[in-house]
């Protein structure tokens, strides 16, 4: 389905959600790569160790933010939760101007950005489930949300690159605050359609399970993920695949500077190239038949990311790196809405925030762990050699999972593709 037709098919509330996500994610994309990594690399003269520490703090605080945000979302609902997200992003924008005068200050700013980012990610990953329980509509809504998100990956770094060129990398954080405040306009009329509390109370009465109504802790998210074969497989597939990407964050800026030999604004241009691919990828998912929205397709997309990452980092030529970034963006553009649709499909609405917090925990921990090894590996293999090794890991892990869990994957794919996925609700689990 073309993008314009998909937009026309969305409800007014879904269109408001698209704009809400666009503005807050645009601000994050303006600030993140150039504002944190660019400041450490080009302003502070940092190397692998400083960048790795900054990304460890940022990713670790994304986990903390989602751990706080998941139960909070399930408790207070999406409207009030969105106000918390905007407040956190605006506070980070202002605080960074005072902090970014030293390496320690930049690291503290990275931690604040990570925490507010972790809160904000739940908007795209959880809010669609408050509007519909129809699997096809969920796929369309997620595809549109992540299409505009990938448009933000293009526009955000371009805006950040312009601001860093005329002012400084630190100044891009002002864009974070402005974009976040603009997001309040579409949020003013956003109203959820589905009521998780009423459904949870009905489930508690029918099953006699008081925990279904009273357990607001993160434990319910872990129980839901690892008590569901589908969610558990999604968790581990993404965990092991994302493990390889942990080496990219601290080394990418050094790859640009020392291997490609380009200036700081190229951090924006190459990130924008990935955004172009992301738009294409998320639009391709709109055309994917519903029977193909399954874990088997997810593993194929994960493996393709590894292949395209090899192209991206495998040469010293910036033109090839651009091509690799576009293709890698295509794969990421398909992965994120596909994963979100499958998670929303298999998770109950009353725990959707906590389930997504747990899924985000797996992805971010997988990204943090290799950061501890990246400096040592870069000393031995060099920056480019380490990135090539990481890309090979991304390529091989989903292939290995596909072989090791082929029977379970076949059963799930048959259920999802042959019969359609029944969206999990608090009245029953699919």
């Amino acid at each position: 389905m073309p993008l314009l037709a998909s937009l026309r098919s969305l409800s007014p509330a879904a269109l408001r959600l698209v704009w809400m996500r666009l503005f807050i994610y645009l601000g994050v994309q303006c600030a993140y790569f150039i504002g944190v990594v660019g400041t450490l690399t080009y302003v502070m003269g940092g190397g692998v160790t400083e960048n790795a520490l900054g990304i460890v703090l940022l990713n670790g605080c994304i986990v903390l933010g989602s751990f706080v945000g998941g139960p909070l979302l399930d408790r207070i609902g999406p409207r009030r939760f969105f106000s918390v997200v905007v407040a956190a992003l605006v506070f980070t924008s202002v605080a960074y101007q005072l902090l970014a005068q030293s390496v320690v200050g930049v690291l503290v700013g990275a931690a604040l950005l990570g925490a507010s980012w972790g809160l904000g990610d739940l908007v795209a990953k959880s809010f669609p489930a408050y509007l519909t329980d129809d699997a096809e509509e969920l796929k369309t809504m997620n595809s549109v949300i992540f299409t505009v998100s990938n448009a933000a990956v293009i526009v955000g770094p371009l805006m950040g690159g312009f601001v860093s060129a005329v002012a400084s990398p630190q100044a891009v954080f002002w864009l974070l605050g402005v974009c976040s405040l603009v997001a309040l306009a579409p949020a003013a009329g956003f109203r959820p359609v589905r009521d998780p509390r009423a459904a949870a109370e009905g489930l508690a009465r029918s099953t006699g399970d008081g925990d279904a109504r009273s357990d607001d802790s993160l434990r319910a998210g872990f129980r839901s993920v690892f008590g569901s074969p589908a969610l558990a497989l999604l968790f581990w597939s993404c965990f092991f695949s994302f493990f390889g990407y942990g080496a990219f964050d601290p080394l990418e800026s050094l790859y640009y500077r020392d291997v490609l030999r380009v200036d700081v604004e190229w951090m924006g241009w190459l990130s924008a190239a990935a955004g172009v691919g992301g738009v294409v990828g998320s639009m391709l998912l709109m055309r994917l038949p519903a029977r193909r929205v399954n874990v088997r397709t997810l593993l194929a997309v994960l493996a393709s990311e590894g292949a395209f990452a090899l192209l991206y980092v495998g040469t010293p030529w910036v033109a090839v790196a651009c091509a690799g970034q576009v293709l890698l963006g295509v794969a990421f553009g398909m992965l994120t809405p596909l994963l979100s649709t499958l998670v929303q499909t298999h998770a109950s609405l009353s725990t959707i925030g906590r389930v997504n917090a747990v899924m985000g925990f797996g992805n971010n921990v997988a990204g943090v762990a290799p950061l501890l090894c990246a400096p040592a590996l870069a000393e031995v293999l060099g920056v480019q050699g380490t990135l090539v090794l990481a890309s090979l890991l991304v390529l091989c892990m989903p292939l290995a999972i596909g072989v090791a869990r082929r029977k379970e994957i076949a059963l799930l794919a048959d259920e999802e593709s042959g019969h359609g996925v029944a969206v999990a609700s608090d009245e029953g689990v699919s």
Side-chain angles (χ1 to χ4, degrees), residues 122-282:
L122 293 170
V123 173
K125 294 178 178 177
S126 299
F127 279 32
Y130 286 94
L131 300 180
T132 184
D133 61 357
D134 180 78
E136 181 66 28
E137 190 175 354
L138 276 176
K139 186 199 77 169
T140 300
M141 194 185 310
N142 281 304
S143 296
V144 173
I145 287 171
F146 286 102
T147 296
V148 301
S149 297
N150 285 303
V153 175
I154 302 170
V155 178
L158 290 176
M159 292 169 62
F162 175 77
V163 170
S164 67
V166 301
S168 69
Q170 300 100 306
V172 300
F173 265 77
W174 286 121
L175 297 172
L176 172 66
V178 172
C179 291
S180 301
L181 289 172
V182 172
L184 291 174
F190 177 80
R191 298 287 188 280
V193 174
R194 303 177 67 207
D195 182 2
R197 290 187 179 277
E201 289 172 0
L203 178 64
R205 287 192 297 269
S206 65
T207 64
D209 183 6
D211 286 344
R213 180 174 51 191
S214 62
D215 187 0
D216 286 332
S217 74
L218 201 60
R219 289 177 301 175
F222 280 97
R223 263 201 317 270
S224 295
V225 170
F226 296 108
S228 162
L231 290 175
L233 184 59
L234 291 172
F235 179 94
W236 290 117
S237 296
C238 291
F239 178 89
F240 287 117
S241 297
F242 274 64
F243 193 81
Y245 283 113
F248 272 71
D249 284 337
L251 298 181
E252 254 182 308
S253 62
L254 301 176
Y255 171 64
Y256 296 162
R257 186 186 69 186
D258 300 337
V259 179
L260 297 180
R261 300 188 181 279
V262 294
D263 293 327
V264 62
E265 56 268 24
W266 275 93
M267 296 178 68
W269 314 150
L270 283 165
S271 294
V276 171
V279 169
V280 174
S282 50

Side-chain angles (χ1 to χ4, degrees), residues 64-84:
L64 290 177
S66 64
F67 271 7
V68 171
L72 183 64
L73 170 60
D74 291 335
R75 186 163 61 249
I76 69 176
R79 280 176 53 80
R80 292 168 62 192
F81 181 79
F82 191 75
S83 297
V84 173

Side-chain angles (χ1 to χ4, degrees), residues 23 41 57 93 102 105 108 115 138 160 187 261 269 329 394 404:
F23 286 122
T41 301
L57 281 170
S93 170
S102 66
V108 174
L138 276 176
R261 300 188 181 279
W269 314 150
V394 176

